[in-house]
Amino acid sequence: DGSAVHPGSKADVDATVLQNTIEQTVLALCLWPAIGFLAADDGPGLIAALAVSFPLSRLAYWMGYRISPPLRMVGFSATFYATLFALVWAFGIWFV
């Protein structure tokens, strides 16, 4: 009916998940090309693994948030730290 969502409602959770997913997508779009370049030999496989894990991690984030907000950390960690560790690994290959 166009009214504002109630804090803690399913619509509020979904809006929060969508906002966080957009943020994680922008982060991935900025970092994954650099990861692919820095890890040129392993880049395509690494990027493919990140691309497969991304929607699964986002789904885990959404389901965890719906069940209990602290459980969202499982999906968030799987999304964010996978990208972060891949970047650190790629820099390690590049500079070693």
Side-chain angles (χ1 to χ4, degrees):
D1 62 358
S3 61
V5 297
H6 298 289
S9 67
K10 288 183 179 182
D12 183 46
V13 168
D14 292 346
T16 302
V17 169
L18 180 60
Q19 176 66 36
N20 186 266
T21 299
I22 290 169
E23 293 165 359
Q24 292 298 317
T25 301
V26 169
L27 181 68
L29 290 174
C30 291
L31 295 181
W32 289 5
I35 292 168
F37 174 76
L38 291 172
D41 294 335
D42 299 322
L46 178 60
I47 298 301
L50 289 170
V52 168
S53 71
F54 189 87
L56 297 174
S57 300
R58 295 283 79 204
L59 184 61
Y61 178 81
W62 177 66
M63 290 171 48
Y65 209 147
R66 278 283 186 100
I67 294 169
S68 175
L71 289 177
R72 72 184 188 263
M73 291 309 298
V74 173
F76 176 82
S77 297
T79 306
F80 178 74
Y81 290 118
T83 298
L84 183 66
F85 290 147
L87 183 65
V88 169
W89 180 74
F91 270 116
I93 288 174
W94 182 259
F95 292 112
V96 173

